Amino acid sequence: MTQFDHLSRRARQAPESGIVAVVNHGRLKPGLIPLWAGEGDETTPEFIARPAAEALLGGETFYTWQRGIPELRQALADYHARHFGRTLPLDAFCVTGSGMQAIKIAVEAVVDPGDEVIQITPAWPNFAAALEMSGGVSVPARLDYAGGRWSIDPDRIAAAITPRTRALFINSPSNPTGWTATREDLDATLKLARKHGLWIIADEIYTRFFYAGGRAPSFLDIMDDDDRVIFVNTFSKNWSMTGWRVGWIVAPPSIIQVLENSVQYQTSGVPQFMQKGALAALEHGDAYVDAQVAKASAARDLFCDALTGTNRVVTQKPDGAFYAFFSIDGISDTKAAAIDIVDRAGVGLAPGTAFNLGGEAFLRACFLRRLDHVEEAAGRLADYISSL
């Protein structure tokens, strides 16, 4: 037996990212345009980076509030009041070391080993992996797909509920599909959760990337204070802070101490100087997010129009998030196709096989990039498709 064989079963069974093989294959390819990762191409803006740097140089390097410094939690409360019209107390917020840690903490707070969580698919794979590493079981509820448009049938969620179901995980706007729940979708989901006594873990990190204007519908629009909803969020997408690894949770104040305990035993808190950057993002970053959304909207139109113009691609412009999720006529093995596209077209895409049930025939492209790169990538893909 090897050292590997003596690891825990959960560690041994943790899946490798379905995108990694493609990234590793093309990472060093000269001239490649990487659309495989869920991030834009801009560095963190100076108005966020400078306060963090000044705090670091100013000696803010000690242990700090595990649930987040009070001024950052106040800024989070103000942000939710501005954008969601909901007044929340400081004790509803817990700052985390990334949105991914927020998800892990939420999962461990509500799921015991063997419990099931229903996840709408195709879906970002990290949630299911984090859940299963915590001993839970991911149960897919597949989106309907017709003519390039995604939708959810609430009866499909209801049919997936069993006596072992503990929670529903709802990501809207969705990575990778761009599906965005309507208020009616959310209302139907919330009623199911109430009926069966379930938690909802709501991933609304792309809520500002909503192309009908304003923001996407949120559970905050319809829920009561006593509903069992935990929101997981991150500074990564809105403010070009993916490398910072700072996120937050919104939850009933009665459970925040439990969530803070998880922070204690995982990271003991987010560095205070990084929280100062997050504070600046919330206090001064609304216009920056609006500009990012406008950039994504223009890129979405350019990219999707170029692909559908080949008459070989089935997709529609997504309602939210910043991904094109598309299928190419004649391609069924999307992992092999993604590697071939790296080699022949110099564009990095994520294979749909990474995104669980219903995503297998698709490819995902992140279009939150400068328009000339998006135009070049779309042109290369159109040429590739025409050569098939």
Side-chain angles (χ1 to χ4, degrees):
M1 297 181 71
T2 67
Q3 290 95 333
F4 177 86
D5 297 313
H6 290 280
L7 295 174
S8 71
R9 178 184 57 80
R10 281 186 290 180
R12 285 186 280 112
Q13 293 181 351
E16 183 180 19
S17 166
I19 306 171
V20 165
V22 181
V23 173
N24 287 343
H25 178 78
R27 190 188 299 273
L28 301 179
K29 182 178 176 64
L32 179 124
I33 301 175
L35 307 183
W36 43 38
E39 63 180 351
D41 60 350
E42 294 187 17
T43 59
T44 305
E46 187 270 347
F47 75 87
I48 296 172
R50 182 172 295 278
E54 290 174 348
L56 173 62
L57 294 172
E60 296 186 37
T61 57
F62 297 95
Y63 291 135
T64 186
W65 298 76
Q66 291 177 156
R67 67 177 64 178
I69 57 176
E71 53 266 50
L72 178 54
R73 286 183 284 127
Q74 182 62 61
L76 283 166
D78 295 342
Y79 176 84
H80 284 76
R82 283 198 309 277
H83 293 288
F84 297 91
R86 193 161 185 128
T87 301
L88 298 168
L90 263 62
D91 284 345
F93 298 95
C94 185
V95 179
T96 61
S98 75
M100 189 64 246
Q101 189 190 34
I103 288 172
K104 187 70 169 170
I105 287 172
V107 164
E108 293 181 348
V110 303
V111 174
D112 285 319
D115 286 345
E116 297 175 351
V117 179
I118 296 171
Q119 178 181 23
I120 293 174
T121 64
W124 181 56
N126 288 34
F127 174 78
L131 169 65
E132 289 169 2
M133 286 193 71
S134 297
V137 179
S138 177
V139 177
R142 186 164 52 87
L143 289 166
D144 290 319
Y145 180 73
R149 180 64 60 188
W150 300 89
S151 61
I152 187 63
D153 180 353
D155 289 341
R156 187 166 290 152
I157 299 176
I161 296 173
T162 76
R164 304 202 71 155
T165 304
R166 182 69 169 168
L168 310 174
F169 181 79
I170 309 296
N171 170 216
S172 172
S174 162
N175 172 13
T177 62
W179 167 76
T180 302
T182 64
R183 188 183 178 106
E184 291 72 25
D185 292 332
L186 297 179
D187 186 61
T189 304
L190 184 58
K191 287 177 179 176
L192 278 174
R194 288 169 174 167
K195 178 181 178 181
H196 295 278
L198 306 178
W199 283 92
I200 291 173
I201 301 174
D203 177 348
E204 298 183 356
I205 70 172
Y206 298 101
T207 192
R208 300 281 297 277
F209 285 87
F210 182 57
Y211 302 110
R215 60 156 176 85
S218 168
F219 282 108
L220 285 169
D221 298 327
I222 60 173
M223 62 181 284
D224 297 329
D225 288 342
D226 60 352
D227 280 318
R228 300 178 192 175
V229 184
I230 300 175
F231 296 87
V232 293
N233 218 312
T234 179
F235 288 87
S236 293
K237 314 296 182 177
N238 287 347
W239 298 282
S240 301
M241 296 172 67
T242 52
W244 289 60
R245 317 313 300 137
V246 185
W248 76 88
I249 290 173
V250 183
S254 60
I255 72 166
I256 285 292
Q257 184 60 55
V258 173
L259 306 184
E260 180 183 338
N261 294 345
S262 290
V263 171
Q264 160 68 25
Y265 301 124
Q266 293 184 32
T267 60
S268 296
V270 176
Q272 184 164 307
F273 63 88
M274 293 171 63
Q275 293 191 55
K276 290 297 180 68
L279 174 64
L282 292 171
E283 291 185 336
H284 307 295
D286 280 354
Y288 180 82
V289 178
D290 291 341
Q292 291 294 96
V293 175
K295 172 182 174 179
S297 180
R300 175 191 72 145
D301 292 347
L302 189 160
F303 190 82
C304 292
D305 286 345
L307 292 190
T308 56
T310 66
N311 295 318
R312 298 279 304 278
V313 169
V314 177
T315 192
Q316 288 193 21
K317 296 173 184 177
D319 294 327
F322 43 67
Y323 306 101
F325 202 53
F326 59 95
S327 61
I328 300 173
D329 184 39
I331 288 180
S332 56
D333 186 343
T334 54
K335 182 177 179 181
I339 290 174
D340 193 45
I341 289 168
V342 165
D343 292 338
R344 294 174 52 193
V347 179
L349 302 174
T353 49
F355 298 102
N356 209 313
L357 183 67
E360 299 87 350
F362 296 84
L363 293 155
R364 189 196 72 176
C366 174
F367 51 70
L368 184 58
R369 298 185 67 86
R370 47 189 277 193
L371 285 182
D372 60 328
H373 281 188
V374 174
E375 184 175 23
E376 175 65 21
R380 292 182 188 182
L381 286 170
D383 290 342
Y384 172 85
I385 292 167
S386 67
S387 71
L388 296 175

